[in-house]
Amino acid sequence: MANNSSTQPEQTRRVVDLLAARRDEILNLWIKERLESDEFREELISKKELRQQSQQLVDALARSIQASNGADFDDAEFDELRAFLNQISHQRAIKGYTPTENATYILSLRNVVTPLLAEELGGDTDALVREMDYFTRLLDKMGLVMVENFIRSREEIIRQQRADMLELSTPVIKVWDKILTLPIIGTLDSRRAQLMMEALLQRIVESGSTVAILDITGVRTMDTLVANHLIKTVTAARLMGARCILTGVSPAIAQTMVQLGIDLSQITTRAQMADGIKLALELVGRTVVPVAALAHLRNGNARGDKLYELSATSTDKSSDK
């Protein structure tokens, strides 16, 4: 045991010497190997960026081995290297690399270093085995760090994308002054229902709206859970001083609600969103008038004004007489 411990610095010193003395050669061979592999995708990383990244990695690896005096990868002296591995694996996760591509990038360094070490050691097989055993264990753990952090980064990205999708799936749109609409599409679970309620109430406060249209045309199925979410949303909006109109109730959903015994008697409903908008306009003191009727009304007013002028003229002439 004591013998192995005493020879450890000598084993790792040869690796450090190789990484330092022949760094440029190692980089050139490593980059060449990566560019010729099927895994290199220039749309994800440029050749210049790949070289810069690889150079930083080789330099950090050499410094860590030397500073740790040949210790294991878990040693604190490898913190800088681990941090850099986490950084580039996170960047690769964002760009769209796969876990295999991440691990292969690190492990391919072994194919470059092995023949150079053999050349440096002059055919000393035992020394080559010892050197490569240590170096391979380092690369394996570096590859694991890349893959593990890649997976964590992808999970974070997926969570963020899911949150963004939830926000996009509950858009509150201002239709008219004091009128909001909230189109609901897909499945309405508890999480999404909570976000929907918060978004609607926030917009009611910001816009001072008094009418909110909840359109469920895009809801395929209706069950007790979904109905309860809708009732809670309507109740919360009413407490904020806004009246809710439920639109897009299809015949199938209407039958399902009757069969389930869901009581929506406190909610104003309309079959189509157009009817809901018309009702909302009436509730805020607006009326939808056809263009033809409006033109006729304007013409009528114009004739009335003309008759008034004629009547006034006749009166004036009678007074002169």
Side-chain angles (χ1 to χ4, degrees):
M1 247 343 197
N3 186 32
N4 290 340
S5 176
S6 61
T7 59
Q8 186 68 8
E10 175 64 21
Q11 296 172 24
T12 56
R13 182 183 64 80
R14 303 299 297 272
V15 175
V16 173
D17 289 344
L18 178 68
L19 294 176
R22 306 180 69 172
R23 186 193 70 170
D24 292 340
E25 183 181 359
I26 291 173
L27 283 174
N28 291 334
L29 291 173
W30 193 17
I31 298 301
K32 182 175 182 295
E33 194 271 346
R34 289 288 81 204
L35 295 179
E36 293 176 352
S37 69
D38 296 334
E39 297 172 354
F40 176 72
R41 291 188 282 171
E42 195 166 2
E43 70 274 14
L44 299 182
I45 186 172
S46 65
K47 296 178 182 178
K48 180 180 179 181
E49 185 181 359
L50 176 63
R51 183 175 185 84
Q52 181 180 8
Q53 191 178 90
S54 302
Q55 179 178 326
Q56 288 179 282
L57 194 149
V58 170
D59 291 343
L61 175 60
R63 285 195 301 270
S64 298
I65 296 175
Q66 187 172 27
S68 68
N69 197 29
D72 190 72
F73 184 75
D74 297 328
D75 191 82
E77 300 297 338
F78 285 88
D79 287 347
E80 176 197 357
L81 178 59
R82 279 192 293 269
F84 183 67
L85 291 172
N86 289 334
Q87 175 186 336
I88 62 176
S89 63
H90 179 72
Q91 294 173 352
R92 286 168 170 251
I94 295 175
K95 291 181 178 180
Y97 279 89
T98 66
T100 301
E101 289 171 336
N102 253 3
T104 305
Y105 168 65
I106 296 297
L107 298 178
S108 63
L109 183 58
R110 176 172 50 199
N111 301 331
V112 174
V113 172
T114 300
L116 296 181
L117 260 179
E119 180 182 329
E120 288 290 322
L121 294 174
D124 188 343
T125 305
D126 292 338
L128 177 62
V129 170
R130 288 194 303 269
E131 295 282 349
M132 286 310 303
D133 177 66
Y134 173 74
F135 190 67
T136 298
R137 283 188 285 110
L138 286 182
L139 291 183
D140 289 342
K141 292 185 177 181
M142 289 168 62
L144 286 175
V145 169
M146 288 282 286
V147 172
E148 289 175 355
N149 191 72
F150 175 89
I151 294 174
R152 284 195 299 269
S153 298
R154 290 298 300 171
E155 289 175 348
E156 292 175 4
I157 293 172
I158 292 172
R159 281 195 296 268
Q160 184 60 48
Q161 290 175 342
R162 185 181 293 115
D164 294 341
M165 288 296 293
L166 283 173
E167 292 182 3
L168 291 174
S169 66
T170 55
V172 182
I173 306 167
K174 186 175 182 178
V175 177
W176 200 264
D177 186 32
K178 297 185 179 300
I179 300 176
L180 299 175
T181 182
L182 174 60
I184 305 171
I185 301 174
T187 305
L188 190 63
D189 55 19
S190 299
R191 172 60 177 163
R192 188 181 172 201
Q194 182 64 31
L195 289 175
M196 180 186 74
M197 184 186 300
E198 292 175 357
L200 179 60
L201 297 180
Q202 184 63 32
R203 286 287 286 157
I204 288 174
V205 172
E206 292 174 354
S207 62
S209 299
T210 57
V211 181
I213 303 171
L214 306 182
D215 183 69
I216 61 172
T217 304
V219 177
R220 296 181 180 179
T221 59
M222 175 70 68
D223 55 20
T224 306
L225 181 62
V226 174
N228 286 335
H229 288 321
L230 291 175
I231 292 173
K232 290 179 181 179
T233 302
V234 171
T235 303
R238 187 183 296 120
L239 291 174
M240 299 298 296
R243 179 176 176 180
C244 288
I245 303 172
L246 185 66
T247 65
V249 180
S250 65
I253 288 181
Q255 293 177 16
T256 302
M257 293 169 67
V258 171
Q259 292 173 0
L260 294 175
I262 299 173
D263 182 17
L264 296 180
S265 58
Q266 302 299 319
I267 303 177
T268 303
T269 61
R270 289 293 185 272
Q272 298 180 359
M273 189 173 183
D275 298 329
I277 293 176
K278 182 178 179 181
L279 175 59
L281 289 170
E282 293 174 357
L283 292 175
V284 296
R286 299 287 190 274
T287 302
V288 178
V289 179
V291 175
L294 183 60
H296 179 73
L297 181 61
R298 287 176 176 174
N299 292 334
N301 289 337
R303 286 195 297 270
D305 292 342
K306 187 174 182 181
L307 289 172
Y308 174 78
E309 291 175 1
L310 289 173
S311 176
T313 303
S314 300
T315 303
D316 291 341
K317 288 182 179 179
S318 298
S319 299
D320 292 340
K321 291 180 179 180

